[in-house]
Amino acid sequence: MAHIVTGNCENCRFTDCVTVCPVDCFHGDERMLYIDPEECIDCAACVEECPVQAIFAEDDVPASEQHWIAINAERAPGLPVVNAKQDPLPGAEERKQELGL
Ligand code: SF4
Ligand code: F3S
């Protein structure tokens, strides 16, 4: 099993999650981050850090977000590691409000 970044991260990319990951398994593109399931040790530390509740244990991913399980596995290995806090994307705070969070 692994933890999964789901759709709420898209266009937010707050990156609070990466600061607590003990194995640096977050990888990112210009829109969001992805967890490499081969590297994640399921410590769950990142779940509470995300301001938009984007991260779930694989077994807890909501039905509407299931497609992100395969997307994380496909994209993460080919993207650079993100292990330091970055500024959120422009509009992230507005998107957070839209999500009711
Ligand atoms: Fe990293 Fe732990 Fe989150 Fe996996 S569950 S991505 S190991 S912080
Ligand atoms: Fe994305 Fe949340 Fe991390 S918005 S970058 S999963 S803190």
Side-chain angles (χ1 to χ4, degrees), residues 5 8-9 12-18 26 32-33 49-55:
V5 184
N8 282 10
C9 182
C12 286
R13 216 180 61 190
F14 280 100
T15 65
D16 302 73
C17 53
V18 309
F26 284 93
M32 61 182 281
L33 299 190
E49 295 298 317
C50 178
V52 289
Q53 301 174 11
I55 306 174

Side-chain angles (χ1 to χ4, degrees), residues 3 21-23 25-26 35 40-44 46:
H3 277 59
C21 182
V23 294
C25 62
F26 284 93
I35 292 169
C40 174
I41 59 169
D42 275 327
C43 72
C46 55

Side-chain angles (χ1 to χ4, degrees), residues 2-95:
H3 277 59
I4 310 294
V5 184
T6 64
N8 282 10
C9 182
E10 208 167 20
N11 300 321
C12 286
R13 216 180 61 190
F14 280 100
T15 65
D16 302 73
C17 53
V18 309
T19 64
V20 298
C21 182
V23 294
D24 291 352
C25 62
F26 284 93
H27 299 247
D29 62 18
E30 69 283 354
R31 297 202 328 257
M32 61 182 281
L33 299 190
Y34 312 89
I35 292 169
D36 186 337
E38 298 293 327
E39 298 175 322
C40 174
I41 59 169
D42 275 327
C43 72
C46 55
V47 173
E48 293 297 317
E49 295 298 317
C50 178
V52 289
Q53 301 174 11
I55 306 174
F56 295 89
E58 187 172 335
D59 287 349
D60 298 332
V61 175
S64 62
E65 302 289 315
Q66 287 280 321
H67 56 291
W68 290 105
I69 297 173
I71 293 173
N72 277 247
E74 285 164 15
R75 293 190 187 162
L79 291 166
V81 170
V82 179
N83 58 10
K85 178 90 176 93
Q86 300 175 0
D87 289 337
L89 294 178
E93 287 296 339
E94 290 82 354
R95 176 150 152 76

